[in-house]
Amino acid sequence: MMMRMRSMAQRIGEVLSFLVLALLCKANSAMPSWWANLPHDNASYCLSWRLAVETNNVRAWRTVPIKCLGYIETYMIGGQYFRDLDFIMDQILSYANEIIPSADGMDAWILDVDDTCISNVIFYSGKRYGCDPFDPAGFKAWATTGGCPAIPAALRLFKRLVDGGFKVILLTGRDDETLSEATIDNLHKEGFIGYERLILRSAAYKGQSAVKYKSEIRKQLVEQGYRIWGNVGDQWSDLQGECLGNRTFKLPNPMYFVP
Amino acid sequence: MMMRMRSMAQRIGEVLSFLVLALLCKANSAMPSWWANLPHDNASYCLSWRLAVETNNVRAWRTVPIKCLGYIETYMIGGQYFRDLDFIMDQILSYANEIIPSADGMDAWILDVDDTCISNVIFYSGKRYGCDPFDPAGFKAWATTGGCPAIPAALRLFKRLVDGGFKVILLTGRDDETLSEATIDNLHKEGFIGYERLILRSAAYKGQSAVKYKSEIRKQLVEQGYRIWGNVGDQWSDLQGECLGNRTFKLPNPMYFVP
C-alpha cells in the first residue's frame, strides 16, 4: 500500500515535470496520443530513424533530420520518452534485485550523467531537439547554471542502488576543470546523494573519444577491485569498449550522438 | 530514371508481399495508419517494450507480452517492420558503398539467414507473433517446406553486395544434418544466388549458444584471411562475441529471442 502510494506520488511528480517542460517548450498540451498530430509518412520515417539510432545502426549522425523535428519534440515531451525510461529502469531494477552485494563493498554500478541521471531536454528544446548542430559554448553555459532536472526514473534507480548496498560511480565526459563544481551542486540539488565517486574528464583525457576515455576509467576501477554489475548510459559510446560490466543498458536519446 | 522505375517496381513488389501476408494472416486491411486501432496505453507500453527488446535491454525473453499481440501483429504486417528494414538496409548500403573491395577476393560480409535474408513471419502468424512459446518441431517442419519468402530489402542488399565484389557468407543456427537441403533450395528459389558459403550448424556445435557458435565460425573465417566488413542479423546473439566484423547491424525482430 505504502509502495503504491509512493509510486503514485512519483508518477504525479513525473506528470508535473512534463507539464513544466510542456509549458516551457510550447508543446501541444491537448495531445490525446503522442503521435496523433503527425502526418503518417513522416511519423513512420521518423520511427524508423529513431529505432535505427537507438540500435546503433545509424552512427556519427550530427543532427536530427529536420522533417523529424515535430516527431522528436513530441517523443521527448509528450510522454513516450519518459515511459520508455520507466520501462527500462524497471528492467534494470529487476536485474539489480537478483544481485546480493557482498560485504567487501566493491559491487559497483556505472551511471553516465547527462541525459542518464539529469536531463538536458530543456536546453535541447532551444536547439530544436537536436535539429540544430551541437553548440559547445551554449551547452557549457547551460551546464554551468546547474539547472538540469533529475530524470525521475533515474533518481529512483540511483536511490535503490545506493540503498541496496551498491557503490554508484557517476562517469561523465564533462570537463573536470570548468564543470566540476556546477555538476556536483546540480546532482546534489536534484537528490543524487550518496554516490561513491563522480568522475569528470580530467586534462589527461582531453580530446579522447568517449569510448576510449570511459574504457580507460572503467579499467582503472576494475583494477582497483570494483565489480561492475551494470553500466547505464544514453550513448552507445558509454557502453562500448573495455571493462563494460556484467550488463549494459541503453537509455533512449534521439537528440544527439556522442562519438 | 531506370533506377527510379526499378525502385518503384521493388516497392510494388513489397506492397504485394504485404497484401499476401495480410490476407494470410487475417489482418485488418483497411488500416489508415499502423497504430490507429490500438488503445493508447497498450500501444505506448508495447512501443517501450519493443524499443527495450531491440536495444537489448530486455534479454532472454521467452514470449511477447500477450497484451502486445495486436501491436506486434500490426507492426509486423502493417508496414512499419518493412519500413524499418528498408531504412536500415539503406544505411548498410551507404556504408558498403564506401568500401572498395580489393583484388584478393577476401572482403566479406556475414549475413544471418532466418528473418535476416528470408522471413518466418508467416510461420509466426500461426504462433500469435511470438505470444506462444517457441515450438521447435513446428519450426523444423516449416523450415523443411523451404517456403520462407525473401525479405525484399535483404535480397536487395545481398545482390548489391555480391555485384559489388564482396563475398557474402550466410551463417545460420539451422541444423546442418536435417535442414541443409531445404535451406539451400529455399534460398536459391528466393533469389539468393552467388553467395560464397552457406554455413549451417554442424554436429560439433550442437547445443552451443548462438554467440559461441557464431563467434567460433567467424574466428575461423578471419583465420582463413577474410576481412569481415559487415555483420547483419536480427538477433543480438548474431552480433556479440568475437570477430564481429568492422560494423554490425541489428535488424528488427520483436517475435522471438535466440540466446
Side-chain angles (χ1 to χ4, degrees), chain A residues 100-117:
Chain A
I100 299 164
S102 73
D104 65 3
M106 298 304 275
D107 295 288
W109 279 70
I110 311 273
L111 270 59
D112 171 51
V113 173
D114 283 295
D115 296 301
T116 297
C117 291

Side-chain angles (χ1 to χ4, degrees), chain B residues 88-104:
Chain B
I88 299 170
M89 294 301 178
D90 287 344
Q91 291 294 318
I92 301 177
L93 280 170
S94 79
Y95 161 68
N97 285 340
E98 285 170 12
I99 307 159
I100 299 164
S102 72
D104 66 3

Side-chain angles (χ1 to χ4, degrees), chain A residues 32-35 38 40-41 43-45 47-59 71 75 79-80 83-85 87-88 91 236 246-252, chain B residues 32-35 38 40-41 43-45 47-59 71 75 79-80 83-85 87-88 91 236 246-252:
Chain A
S33 69
W34 66 273
W35 49 67
L38 297 166
H40 174 227
D41 279 352
S44 199
Y45 171 87
L47 188 52
S48 291
W49 179 80
R50 187 164 69 84
L51 181 68
V53 160
E54 295 300 354
T55 51
N56 208 22
N57 287 323
V58 176
R59 296 186 193 176
Y71 173 91
Y75 173 71
Q80 191 62 31
R83 278 191 286 270
D84 287 352
L85 285 172
F87 187 95
I88 299 170
Q91 291 294 320
W236 280 101
N246 190 49
R247 264 189 78 168
T248 62
F249 295 93
K250 170 70 176 75
L251 306 187
Chain B
S33 70
W34 65 273
W35 47 68
L38 299 165
H40 174 224
D41 279 352
S44 199
Y45 171 86
L47 188 53
S48 291
W49 179 81
R50 187 164 68 85
L51 181 68
V53 160
E54 296 299 355
T55 51
N56 208 22
N57 286 323
V58 177
R59 296 186 192 176
Y71 175 90
Y75 173 70
Q80 190 62 32
R83 278 191 285 271
D84 287 353
L85 285 172
F87 187 95
I88 299 170
Q91 291 294 318
W236 280 101
N246 191 49
R247 265 189 78 168
T248 63
F249 296 93
K250 171 70 175 75
L251 306 187

Side-chain angles (χ1 to χ4, degrees), chain A:
Chain A
M1 192 61 189
M2 209 38 211
M3 282 295 280
R4 274 214 189 154
M5 280 182 65
R6 212 179 299 161
S7 139
M8 196 180 289
Q10 221 160 39
R11 202 148 296 260
I12 292 169
E14 287 175 29
V15 169
L16 284 176
S17 305
F18 282 15
L19 283 178
V20 170
L21 267 175
L23 286 171
L24 267 171
C25 309
K26 295 170 287 173
N28 180 354
S29 56
M31 240 173 295
S33 69
W34 66 273
W35 49 67
N37 297 324
L38 297 166
H40 174 227
D41 279 352
N42 241 12
S44 199
Y45 171 87
C46 300
L47 188 52
S48 291
W49 179 80
R50 187 164 69 84
L51 181 68
V53 160
E54 295 300 354
T55 51
N56 208 22
N57 287 323
V58 176
R59 296 186 193 176
W61 52 279
R62 295 173 61 90
T63 52
V64 171
I66 188 69
K67 69 170 163 174
C68 296
L69 169 56
Y71 173 91
I72 296 296
E73 176 176 43
T74 314
Y75 173 71
M76 293 308 296
I77 63 177
Q80 191 62 31
Y81 168 63
F82 281 85
R83 278 191 286 270
D84 287 352
L85 285 172
D86 260 349
F87 187 95
I88 299 170
M89 294 302 179
D90 287 344
Q91 291 294 320
I92 301 178
L93 280 170
S94 79
Y95 161 69
N97 285 340
E98 286 170 11
I99 308 159
I100 299 164
S102 73
D104 65 3
M106 298 304 275
D107 295 288
W109 279 70
I110 311 273
L111 270 59
D112 171 51
V113 173
D114 283 295
D115 296 301
T116 297
C117 291
I118 53 179
S119 172
N120 294 308
V121 172
I122 295 169
F123 173 74
Y124 277 94
S125 73
K127 301 290 174 187
R128 299 193 297 167
Y129 296 93
C131 288
D132 294 340
F134 182 56
D135 167 11
F139 182 78
K140 192 160 261 180
W142 154 257
T144 305
T145 66
C148 305
I151 292 174
L155 187 58
R156 179 161 62 95
L157 170 70
F158 175 87
K159 285 184 173 165
R160 297 226 194 141
L161 288 175
V162 172
D163 291 350
F166 290 102
K167 298 296 161 69
V168 176
I169 295 160
L170 303 176
L171 175 54
T172 171
R174 285 187 177 200
D175 181 48
D176 187 37
E177 201 188 338
T178 55
L179 286 175
S180 173
E181 213 183 302
T183 306
I184 293 168
D185 289 351
N186 196 153
L187 287 165
H188 192 269
K189 197 181 64 187
E190 291 298 316
F192 291 88
I193 294 163
Y195 53 77
E196 174 85 347
R197 290 200 214 164
L198 166 67
I199 303 172
L200 296 100
R201 190 194 287 258
S202 64
Y205 301 102
K206 223 165 184 168
Q208 276 186 8
S209 73
V211 173
K212 205 174 167 196
Y213 154 63
K214 293 195 168 181
S215 284
E216 185 53 45
I217 300 290
R218 287 192 305 263
K219 212 172 137 196
Q220 290 169 18
L221 292 167
V222 167
E223 281 164 5
Q224 288 159 30
Y226 286 106
R227 292 177 292 277
I228 304 172
W229 287 99
N231 180 3
V232 185
D234 66 301
Q235 297 290 323
W236 280 101
S237 54
D238 296 327
L239 312 172
Q240 290 177 321
E242 290 177 78
C243 303
L244 289 173
N246 190 49
R247 264 189 78 168
T248 62
F249 295 93
K250 170 70 176 75
L251 306 187
N253 185 352
M255 300 186 301
Y256 58 87
F257 178 94
V258 177

